[in-house]
Amino acid sequence: MKYLHLIWAALFRSKTRTFLTLLSVVTAFLLFGMLDSVRVAFNSSANVSGYDRLITTSRLSITQSLPYRLQTQIETVPGVKKASYATWFGGIYQDPKNFFPNFAVGPGYIELYPEYVMPADQLKAFYATQDGAIVGEALAKLHGWKIGDTIPLQATIFPTKGSNNWNFKLVGIFHMNDNKRKGEEKQLMFNWKYFDEANDYIKGQVHWYVVDVADAGQSNRVAQAIDKLSDNSDHETKTQTEQAFNQAFFKQIGDIGLIVTSIMGAVFFTLVLLTGNTMAQAVRERIPELAVLKTIGFSNRSVLWLVLAEATLLVVLGGLIGLGLAALIMPAVSQASMGLIQLPNVPAATWGLGVAMMIVIGVVVGLLPALRAMRLNIVDALAGR
Amino acid sequence: MKFLKNAGVIAILLACLVVWILLPWYAVLALVVALALWLVLTRSGRLALEATRIGIASLPQRWGASSVIVVGIAGVVGVLVAMLAMGAGFEATLKQTGNDSTAIILRGGSQAETNSVITRDQVPLIGALAGIAKGADGRPAISPELSQVVNMVTRADHTDANAQLRGVGEAAWALRPQVKIVEGRRFNPGMRELVIGQGARKQYVDQQFNDLKPGSQIELANQIWTVVGFFASGDSHDSELWADGETLASTYRRNAYQSVTVQLDGKDGFKQLKAAMAADPRLKLDVDTTRHYYAKQSEGLSKFLRVLGIVIGSIMAVGAVFGALNTMYAAVAGRAREIATMRAIGFRGLPVVVAVMLETMLLALIGGLVGGAIAWLLFNGYSVSTLGNNFSQVMFQFKVSPDLLWNGIKWALGIGLIGGLFPALRAARLPVTEALRAA
């Protein structure tokens, strides 16, 4: 620590070069911060901790529907606290580009999601209003809806009385306290009973069940018991935890992890080369100075540490600025897009991984020049040989 | 003052870059020819050429430092080209699926086959509409089809993925001449038999995790289906499983179709069909040429991938510019005495600037070529899959086209341009006497 000023002075010996290197380290870690946050968010959106819910869908395919009478059967399975159901509606608001999930939910569905926070009277109004609908705060803000508005949706699957026009009355707005899950505010739910009566195609059919289990440790057993209910029937089910269900879905969209890792690999390979080159230059230029340091009594080992510390300091400095920028930019983008783009905040896991990588990269790029500095022969170096 | 000047240079440079990226190839060619002519024909051009030759001759001595430019730019170009190739591959797969001579009919308002319902009694009505070509047997060439999303086990990790199972009749083969059986045979009507696209064959295995081959058995809807053949189509049908429409309907108890594909009659067949459809109040259906329908389906994802590629490419490019600046500043500093000598014996500012720029551009060009080559070697033809609009997997391949490679090289040269300009200006401004005196 007592040599910090020395390291600092050496670092800024050539301002332009250090500044440019710093900037490329900053860009690399800015990119790292953004990509890795997205990766972590993708993996952890599937990791809704604290809620022990199971999702039951048709084993045949996700688009196949199940009879709604299964609910009473599911609720008799030991270990099940409560179950409710939903049917995918897939309506369009004005333009297909305005996509947001919308589906019909059975009684008690919203209560299964205590993290969706909503005033009690609005929930009551929802159940009391036949054509009532509730939406998340972000979605309401995006389209400028307020309670009492009528929301027209164009059906893509289920017409009502031969027409695709459905109208819903907005009676409630929910919000998420968890910032990381603000994306879930972009959905609309309405009463399943109304849907069942008004749609022309299917009666008494649902697409998935949400099951609340009493004890998370029993999830596996409960899931198997639920699937047993419909064994060998024409509506066999597949029950899995909410995490597993989400994860399977995201995995089908594409291998986010692979793409992110490949990009990161390319970025950091470039970074190591760049910074390593700068350090080599810095040491080459300072050979006489290092020789002087040795002459006045610095040991070989101290010189090694000095150069190594300098390289690490440079990378850590740039890395912290880069990650800091990412932490500033991501919420700003989310805010500016009014919830249209939901970028996650930089999570602790990314910070941790980032700092570890800074130190490793710093040591890697500093090692060769540091060894060179350590092995300097004073006489040769002073003579400029 | 100096700061203002630099800011001005940066602003002009950015404008130049945007123009440069948008420049068509013939304009670039014209620029290169103009530069070559200037280099060969004018006096300062010849001087610049000589100065460049000296710089390039000393390149091998500075290979370590110069390779930073090459590798940095190769990284940017490689990532950019790979990302763009992914979007291009997806777009190409869906675009190839459609053409202008067939049309697809879906229920009014539905965006994709999964959402659509066409009842059986509507099918003869559709067949009677104007604008539909007649098949060899004199009947209208229409193919009513079922579309069912089914769970198939993936080869990669033995989990379920959504696959598209299409129930078709005889007409489907005639309407899609690009779909050819490459192994085995077609399914027999009335039997639980499957033919599988070659993309799907690569992605899925049977329930015992064995590779799919003729004779493989697959359980769908509690029934055993036998795989009897494989087909290749070179488009998004390659991700599908095909079976007899009637058998599929009875297995899944479906009494309606999802879509009807028709052969259009002549040039204005589509117009006639559309008008006829609108005139019949019994048919609340949408009709679209298959080309437009499939192109629309690829729109969202390819646009997203393109934007993502350019954003990530830009951020990396900024990093690479700093790297190039650094290296070239160091190169100029290292050759200060050499450059000063050149200036002292009569080389003016311009040839020196051009020489440093040309040297950087050469390194950038090598970087661009290396990056493009790596992207091409690693990713061209690399198969991936994603969830398409039909809620089922669409397999596609990265497509590293010459167009994208050309784009990558333009990016590389753009980075080289910025990375070289400031060091070049410094070289030209070096005070001769001071530089000569410096050790």
Side-chain angles (χ1 to χ4, degrees), chain B residues 229-272:
Chain B
F230 296 94
F231 64 84
S233 66
D235 54 29
S236 72
H237 292 307
D238 267 341
S239 316
E240 297 176 349
L241 288 63
W242 283 20
D244 176 39
E246 295 308 314
T247 314
L248 189 65
S250 65
T251 309
Y252 281 90
R253 299 188 323 282
R254 301 288 278 279
N255 44 24
Y257 296 105
Q258 266 66 55
S259 67
V260 176
T261 303
V262 306
Q263 186 77 46
L264 293 168
D265 191 11
K267 250 190 172 166
D268 46 340
F270 180 64
K271 238 188 258 161
Q272 287 178 25

Side-chain angles (χ1 to χ4, degrees), chain B residues 81-371:
Chain B
V81 169
M83 299 282 294
L84 294 180
M86 188 150 85
F90 184 67
E91 207 175 334
T93 300
L94 284 181
K95 275 209 175 129
Q96 267 163 24
T97 317
N99 54 48
D100 283 327
S101 63
T102 54
I104 184 166
I105 297 167
L106 299 169
R107 189 179 64 76
S110 50
Q111 304 292 309
E113 283 179 279
T114 340
N115 296 348
S116 170
V117 177
I118 292 178
T119 53
R120 285 187 177 238
D121 52 325
Q122 286 176 325
V123 174
L125 298 177
I126 292 171
L129 294 174
I132 297 177
K134 298 271 186 286
D137 54 358
R139 291 200 306 215
I142 67 170
S143 167
E145 294 173 5
L146 283 113
S147 156
Q148 174 72 39
V149 177
V150 297
N151 281 343
M152 289 285 286
V153 184
T154 57
R155 180 194 299 263
D157 49 11
H158 298 172
T159 53
D160 281 352
N162 301 336
Q164 169 108 327
L165 175 57
R166 185 180 292 277
V168 297
E170 273 303 306
W173 302 97
L175 275 173
R176 296 189 185 82
Q178 79 272 25
V179 178
K180 293 201 173 66
I181 295 286
V182 290
E183 196 184 338
R185 56 172 174 86
R186 292 182 187 179
F187 54 79
N188 286 327
M191 309 278 282
R192 290 215 171 82
E193 292 180 338
L194 291 172
V195 290
I196 293 178
Q198 53 180 7
R201 181 186 196 173
K202 269 188 242 156
Q203 199 183 7
Y204 304 122
V205 290
D206 67 11
Q207 272 87 353
Q208 274 76 49
F209 309 141
N210 294 324
D211 287 351
L212 296 174
K213 51 185 181 299
S216 290
Q217 308 233 303
I218 293 176
E219 193 194 316
L220 297 171
N222 293 335
Q223 307 286 349
I224 299 294
W225 297 70
T226 310
V227 177
V228 295
F230 296 94
F231 64 84
S233 66
D235 54 29
S236 72
H237 292 307
D238 267 341
S239 316
E240 297 176 349
L241 288 63
W242 283 20
D244 176 39
E246 295 308 314
T247 314
L248 189 65
S250 65
T251 309
Y252 281 90
R253 299 188 323 282
R254 301 288 278 279
N255 44 24
Y257 296 105
Q258 266 66 55
S259 67
V260 176
T261 303
V262 306
Q263 186 77 46
L264 293 168
D265 191 11
K267 250 190 172 166
D268 46 340
F270 180 64
K271 238 188 258 161
Q272 287 178 25
L273 177 60
K274 205 164 174 157
M277 183 97 59
D280 192 331
R282 291 167 297 180
L283 299 173
K284 286 190 176 170
L285 304 172
D286 283 344
V287 59
D288 206 346
T289 60
T290 49
R291 180 189 299 283
H292 187 248
Y293 171 75
Y294 285 105
K296 214 170 56 193
Q297 293 209 328
S298 75
E299 215 169 40
L301 186 70
S302 4
K303 198 172 156 195
F304 171 75
L305 288 175
R306 202 174 310 133
V307 171
L308 193 69
I310 289 178
V311 168
I312 291 178
S314 304
I315 296 181
M316 284 185 70
V318 171
V321 164
F322 293 136
L325 278 173
N326 214 347
T327 313
M328 288 318 285
Y329 269 132
V332 167
R335 284 163 55 207
R337 213 196 291 191
E338 194 183 314
I339 291 172
T341 312
M342 272 163 48
R343 299 262 311 278
I345 61 172
F347 282 83
R348 304 288 293 274
L350 189 63
V352 173
V353 171
V354 173
V356 176
M357 294 286 288
L358 279 181
E359 195 185 315
T360 325
M361 300 291 258
L362 178 74
L363 291 172
L365 183 66
I366 299 174
L369 289 173
V370 169

Side-chain angles (χ1 to χ4, degrees), chain A residues 21 61 64 156 164 238 253, chain B residues 107-108 148-149 160 326 386:
Chain A
T21 313
S61 96
Q64 198 80 0
T156 59
N164 280 334
K238 180 161 115 187
I253 293 179
Chain B
R107 189 179 64 76
Q148 174 72 39
V149 177
D160 281 352
N326 214 347
T386 185

Side-chain angles (χ1 to χ4, degrees), chain A residues 138-161:
Chain A
L139 188 65
K141 234 186 242 164
L142 185 67
H143 294 300
W145 295 331
K146 49 196 183 307
I147 288 183
D149 281 1
T150 298
I151 302 172
L153 287 187
Q154 279 284 316
T156 59
I157 318 174
F158 304 105
T160 171
K161 298 176 209 90

Side-chain angles (χ1 to χ4, degrees), chain A residues 243-265:
Chain A
Q243 287 94 308
F245 178 79
N246 289 343
Q247 212 143 33
F249 188 80
F250 281 126
K251 204 155 64 190
Q252 290 205 49
I253 293 179
D255 199 341
I256 305 289
L258 177 81
I259 296 169
V260 170
T261 325
S262 335
I263 297 175
M264 295 316 316

